[in-house]
Amino acid sequence: GYQGGDFGATDYRTVCTGRTGHAEVVRVTYDESIVSTREILRVFWENHDPTQGYRQGNDQGTQYRSAIFYTTPEQKAMAELTRDAYASVIAQRGYPAITTSIQDAADHTYYFAEDYHQQYLYKRPNGYRCHANTGLALPALSS
């Protein structure tokens, strides 16, 4: 879907103009008793480069920025904790500062993407591979 923009309901073509300010996002619904917020965030941090601003590899534009839209204070706290832990790891390897925004989802309406954009990789198993991850693991968090 799309979230974080200044434009109302939107679609992929409009988002790609860069004028809406929306990011392309994945809406994650999960049961904390089965998978932790920390685990979700580990996958998030390790599978893209959170230092690239408005881009991921060759994909450029506001829709490709790194963003987290949290729904609870606990999610916000874990997002900030994991961001800070990951920042120290990637800084040691010479990466620039993390540019990921962490924002309250309640402040930004979520819009579902068009059907052809839903479950994109399920429909196209080899359709996209992000070549912009750092290859670095999120470190264990101290209690």
Side-chain angles (χ1 to χ4, degrees):
Y2 315 106
Q3 195 165 12
D6 302 320
F7 193 78
T10 193
D11 60 32
Y12 182 69
R13 289 177 197 224
T14 308
V15 168
C16 287
T17 68
R19 294 189 304 250
T20 71
H22 288 89
E24 290 186 51
V25 298
V26 174
R27 186 177 202 171
V28 179
T29 303
Y30 63 102
D31 181 339
E32 180 77 28
S33 69
I34 297 172
V35 62
S36 68
T37 301
R38 188 220 181 268
E39 179 60 16
I40 300 287
L41 289 165
R42 181 193 65 76
V43 172
F44 171 80
W45 294 116
E46 292 178 3
N47 284 282
H48 79 296
D49 182 345
T51 70
Q52 293 192 346
Y54 289 160
R55 71 179 301 147
Q56 283 298 302
N58 291 330
D59 295 326
Q60 297 182 43
T62 60
Q63 75 269 31
Y64 295 110
R65 72 184 182 277
S66 177
I68 296 170
F69 296 95
Y70 62 86
T71 58
T72 68
E74 294 81 15
Q75 287 176 353
K76 177 185 180 188
M78 185 57 68
E80 291 171 343
L81 183 68
T82 56
R83 176 201 58 205
D84 295 346
Y86 202 57
S88 68
V89 168
I90 64 172
Q92 291 172 10
R93 297 293 293 271
Y95 282 88
I98 287 177
T99 60
T100 304
S101 64
I102 299 174
Q103 302 171 26
D104 190 335
D107 295 338
H108 303 279
T109 302
Y110 172 85
Y111 299 99
F112 281 95
E114 301 79 1
D115 185 60
Y116 72 88
H117 226 71
Q118 297 292 327
Q119 302 296 315
Y120 186 82
L121 292 178
Y122 177 78
K123 294 174 184 173
R124 296 164 195 83
N126 298 309
Y128 182 80
R129 177 163 167 9
C130 180
H131 297 283
N133 68 46
T134 65
L136 301 173
L138 178 68
L141 302 175
S142 50
S143 316

